[in-house]
Amino acid sequence: MAGQGTPATALLAKRKITHSTHPYDVSPDAPNYGALVAAALGVPPERVFKSLVTEVDGGLTVAVVPVTGELDLKALAAAAGGKRATMADRAVAERATGYVRGGISPLGQRRRLPTVVDSSALDHPTVYVSAGRRGLQLQLSPADLVALTDAVTAPIAAG
């Protein structure tokens, strides 16, 4: 599809990782954004994951959790080997990843950040994550997601 390339899709193509892209049309300001994205894609919401940039003990860390829940900051801090986690400032997150809010992908970031993927991702044959821009999701195996991000898996989602 012309114009669909992002650093995330380029990384997958370069590494010859099996994946597919899925465009959707949901306002990034819509309440319950993740559930609306899942509905637009026609997939169960527990298979759609959001990438949240956080600070763990002052260093940036990406948390990848299902859109159906919230991030458990204490569980994230423990999984990342830290004591305290908070959400990163939006401008800091965008500058570090090279992506805009609502389109932050765990793949192909400007600066590769430590990543923790919620262990529920391993329950699915494939999962959906942002492809690196609003309105485009990537579908890939959770094993490939973990390998490409050198992620730790842990139960970091609440709710």
Side-chain angles (χ1 to χ4, degrees), residues 55-132:
E55 287 189 31
V56 177
D57 294 349
L60 295 179
T61 299
V62 177
V64 182
V65 295
V67 299
T68 55
E70 298 296 319
L71 173 61
D72 180 334
L73 290 167
K74 286 184 182 180
L76 172 66
K83 293 185 182 349
R84 183 169 185 272
T86 59
M87 295 302 298
D89 177 75
R90 175 181 176 171
V92 169
E94 291 178 348
R95 197 168 38 252
T97 63
Y99 295 122
V100 298
R101 181 183 69 88
I104 293 178
S105 177
L107 303 166
Q109 296 174 355
R110 178 176 291 148
R111 185 167 50 125
R112 190 166 168 180
L113 300 173
T115 302
V116 180
V117 174
D118 185 70
S119 53
S120 69
L122 303 176
D123 297 339
H124 308 288
T126 60
V127 293
Y128 294 78
V129 296
S130 175

Side-chain angles (χ1 to χ4, degrees), residues 43-60:
V43 299
E46 59 272 8
R47 288 184 57 201
V48 180
F49 285 71
K50 56 188 172 186
S51 303
L52 303 172
V53 180
T54 65
E55 287 189 31
V56 177
D57 294 349
L60 295 179

Side-chain angles (χ1 to χ4, degrees), residues 121-144:
L122 303 176
D123 297 339
H124 308 288
T126 60
V127 293
Y128 294 78
V129 296
S130 175
R133 75 159 183 258
R134 295 175 183 154
L136 190 63
Q137 290 279 302
L138 284 172
Q139 180 183 8
L140 75 165
S141 80
D144 286 336

